[in-house]
Amino acid sequence: DADVTQTPRNRITKTGKRIMLECSQTKGHDRMYWYRQDPGLGLRLIYYSFDVKDINKGEISDGYSVSRQAQAKFSLSLESAIPNQTALYFCATSDSAGAEAFFGQGTRLTVV
Amino acid sequence: DQQVKQNSPSLSVQEGRISILNCDYTNSMFDYFLWYKKYPAEGPTFLISISSIKDKNEDGRFTVFLNKSAKHLSLHIVPSQPGDSAVYFCAASWGRAGKSTFGDGTTLTVKP
């Protein structure tokens, strides 16, 4: 089984719909992250969390919200999806500052 | 302003030769630098990292060099193998948050 699991892997949704992307990890790490990747670009940080009670905005948090339900679970929500949120979304975990991050396989989201 | 830049979108090398991937950064506060490799339809996977107190780190065929005065790092792959063909991301982090800022990636193609 993968250390970091994202569901769904692919999703097509309509403009204005609410959608949730889920992430779970078995690494036992406290830190979890949500990134977005657009074609030809690097990964941009949406939100990050140090533990269940510590959630922080990243560089592109507008239009997104997150929930850290448990140490192992970190979900990303789009309250009202719009077409420019069409992208590849990655969840990641790490155990400390500067340490390597472990990524999920990604969720390809298309908003039509 | 992009703090981590990979100015070469693509690189093509012959099998057995050296691959050199470059990365420049602007934030002198960065204290960890990481390289990730990404295959299509997969999440990024960690390759090698270097602390800002070092100028070189080696792991098998992979070596990362850091030039702090020039705010430049490079990844050397010797010898290059066809299986190394992937997108390589440079990332940098600093402070307690440890959240990484990514470059846009360089697509490496190793020809047999």
Side-chain angles (χ1 to χ4, degrees):
Chain A
D1 288 342
D3 293 326
V4 182
T5 302
Q6 292 183 234
T7 56
R9 292 293 313 277
N10 291 280
R11 180 72 180 267
I12 300 174
T13 192
K14 293 184 177 180
T15 297
K17 292 290 187 181
R18 183 180 188 274
I19 183 170
M20 179 183 290
L21 309 183
E22 299 189 0
C23 176
S24 62
Q25 54 112 346
T26 59
K27 298 292 292 182
H29 293 163
D30 287 327
R31 296 163 180 254
M32 296 190 74
Y33 309 84
W34 274 104
Y35 288 93
R36 165 181 172 159
Q37 186 188 16
D38 293 283
L41 299 179
L43 284 72
R44 292 182 293 167
L45 185 63
I46 306 172
Y47 270 95
Y48 62 103
S49 170
F50 289 161
D51 63 39
V52 175
K53 296 181 180 180
D54 188 350
I55 293 177
N56 306 276
K57 292 183 177 180
E59 58 182 305
I60 55 164
S61 60
D62 288 348
Y64 302 95
S65 63
V66 291
S67 173
R68 184 83 183 265
Q69 301 94 329
Q71 186 205 36
K73 295 184 182 296
F74 192 37
S75 60
L76 175 72
S77 294
L78 287 67
E79 297 301 326
S80 180
I82 56 177
N84 76 0
Q85 290 177 313
T86 293
L88 193 53
Y89 290 85
F90 289 103
C91 174
T93 75
S94 70
D95 66 357
S96 62
E100 64 184 280
F102 294 82
F103 285 83
Q105 290 189 292
T107 295
R108 184 168 296 281
L109 177 66
T110 303
V111 184
V112 297
Chain B
D1 182 33
Q2 196 169 13
Q3 296 188 63
V4 178
K5 292 184 180 180
Q6 295 177 256
N7 292 317
S8 298
S10 63
L11 175 68
S12 181
V13 300
Q14 207 66 34
E15 180 179 6
R17 306 295 289 268
I18 185 171
S19 296
I20 300 176
L21 295 92
N22 294 302
C23 179
D24 296 297
Y25 63 95
T26 57
N27 189 344
S28 58
M29 298 293 289
F30 287 138
D31 52 11
Y32 284 97
F33 302 89
L34 308 96
W35 285 93
Y36 290 87
K37 179 169 70 173
K38 184 184 181 303
Y39 293 119
E42 295 184 10
T45 55
F46 171 75
L47 194 57
I48 191 169
S49 64
I50 188 167
S51 163
S52 61
I53 63 173
K54 295 186 176 181
D55 55 18
K56 177 183 175 181
N57 188 28
E58 189 173 356
D59 183 2
R61 296 186 297 115
F62 303 91
T63 303
V64 56
F65 295 92
L66 175 63
N67 182 334
K68 284 188 293 183
S69 61
K71 293 189 176 66
H72 177 83
L73 66 155
S74 60
L75 174 68
H76 293 211
I77 306 174
V78 183
S80 301
Q81 300 173 354
D84 295 329
S85 297
V87 179
Y88 288 78
F89 290 102
C90 170
S93 71
W94 68 278
R96 172 182 175 266
K99 50 189 174 71
S100 289
T101 300
F102 284 78
D104 289 341
T106 296
T107 300
L108 173 66
T109 303
V110 180
K111 298 180 179 179

